[in-house]
Amino acid sequence: MLSRKIADRLAAFETPFYLYDINLLRQTLDSAVTVASRYGFRLHYAIKANYDPHILAVIKEYGLGIDCASGNEIRCAIEAGFDPEGIVYAGVGKRDKEIRYAVSQGIFSINCESLQELELINSIAGEMGVVQDVALRINPDIDPKTNSCIDTGQADSKFGISYEEVMANAAEIQAYRNVRIRGMHLHIGSQIRELHVFEYLCDKVNAIVECLTGLGFTLDFIDVGGGLGINYDIPENEPVPNFSSVFAIISQNLNVGGREVHFEFGRAIVAQCGELITKVLFRKDTATGRKLVIVDASMTELIRPALYGAYHNIENITSAETRKERYSVVGTACESTDVFDQSVSLPVTHRGDLLTIKSAGAYGMSMASRYNLHDLPDAVYSDEIV
């Protein structure tokens, strides 16, 4: 990763901070856009993964649309210069004012997650004197073979409308005057590494599209979500995710009659370009003999390990030691769950050493908090220091 190559220059910055490899971000975008163009697929970036202005500016250069999960994310995307015609808006709990804002901006689609929400959108659009384009977010009941905390596509999930409910209420849905059902949206989860899951998704999409069109729905596009995972274990082995395989699987298995196909990637675009750089504050042993490395970062900068047991590869980038020891790397927050790794092998580590917590470009800074009144971390960009 980048931090290892420029470790001598990183000592000048106050830790903890996020280091973003903009060259790797561009390589990732080049791969995604080039392969998607072969199939005519349309790409959106899930802005919840990382809304750093510098990163958004680079993504905008590549022509991606934006996938949003709140009204403020829509506002952020528009203020960053993204065309509202490329913005889709999903989320199970859209506030009335957020829906009004989305309608007023003329976004591409509101991806509707319940029949009650659809009724509300129709009412608000009617009050505003417009017809709003929407997609029905269907829950396909597919096990994505990922962490249960980021699984969004099984039957009991809070996300989406059940297929059976749509079928039972098809006539009512089509009777609304101020919404236009333009598409169907499905998203089964995040950090998917077993790519055959996307084959199951295609089978479900094909069947649902056939049934919905048979009931009179006119669908212009199918949004198959995102979810492509990255290599957290050894990120150097796969710095750019396998877009080629996913797009090939979708192309070979999706049969939706020439309709436009949309994707919404977040993690796959930005995760590997980001690292959290942190300094060792103290070394101590517990009464049971466990060796602790206490760093100046914490769950306030990167909550994923504490929130749902997510793994991030950690490396000491400044130690000159050859002998290794096994440590628990812990943060400064007053919580016992503030642990980055319970047992990681590192060169003998001392106060002042710099560690990198890799693959932190997605759901790192965007989920940061000021718990314990910590300062939010700064960002350092490769194209400004290298």
Side-chain angles (χ1 to χ4, degrees), residues 1-179:
M1 306 302 280
L2 175 65
S3 61
R4 186 189 310 145
K5 302 174 184 176
I6 61 169
D8 58 329
R9 277 174 273 182
L10 298 181
F13 300 96
E14 182 178 356
T15 54
F17 62 87
Y18 277 96
L19 172 66
Y20 294 115
D21 185 342
I22 301 303
N23 289 331
L24 180 55
L25 174 61
R26 290 185 178 279
Q27 291 173 28
T28 304
L29 288 163
D30 280 334
S31 175
V33 170
T34 299
V35 181
S37 66
R38 296 175 192 164
Y39 303 102
F41 294 154
R42 187 167 173 181
L43 302 183
H44 303 264
Y45 168 63
I47 196 172
K48 61 181 172 285
N50 192 320
Y51 48 81
D52 181 281
H54 194 102
I55 287 175
L56 290 181
V58 175
I59 292 171
K60 182 175 176 292
E61 291 180 30
Y62 288 80
L64 276 68
I66 294 289
D67 165 65
C68 298
S70 74
N72 282 343
E73 288 188 356
I74 298 173
R75 190 180 306 276
C76 177
I78 291 173
E79 290 177 352
F82 288 88
D83 186 347
E85 276 294 320
I87 293 177
V88 295
Y89 177 25
V92 299
K94 303 178 183 75
R95 297 174 177 86
D96 293 23
K97 69 176 183 179
E98 294 176 306
I99 293 173
R100 291 181 193 280
Y101 177 69
V103 172
S104 73
Q105 296 303 305
I107 67 172
F108 178 77
S109 175
I110 298 178
N111 294 347
C112 183
E113 307 223 14
S114 70
L115 295 186
Q116 192 169 35
E117 180 190 321
L118 186 64
E119 180 183 9
L120 177 61
I121 295 170
N122 180 69
S123 175
I124 289 174
E127 293 171 7
M128 298 175 68
V130 299
V131 177
Q132 175 61 47
D133 290 337
V134 303
L136 299 176
R137 180 170 181 176
I138 308 293
N139 187 316
D141 191 20
I142 294 176
D143 182 356
K145 307 298 182 184
T146 188
N147 188 320
S148 61
C149 297
I150 49 178
D151 164 5
T152 63
Q154 296 202 63
D156 196 41
S157 170
K158 72 176 183 178
F159 297 97
I161 313 169
S162 75
Y163 167 65
E164 291 78 12
E165 189 175 14
V166 173
M167 297 291 287
N169 294 275
E172 177 185 345
I173 292 170
Q174 294 177 82
Y176 288 126
R177 289 176 167 269
N178 291 96
V179 292

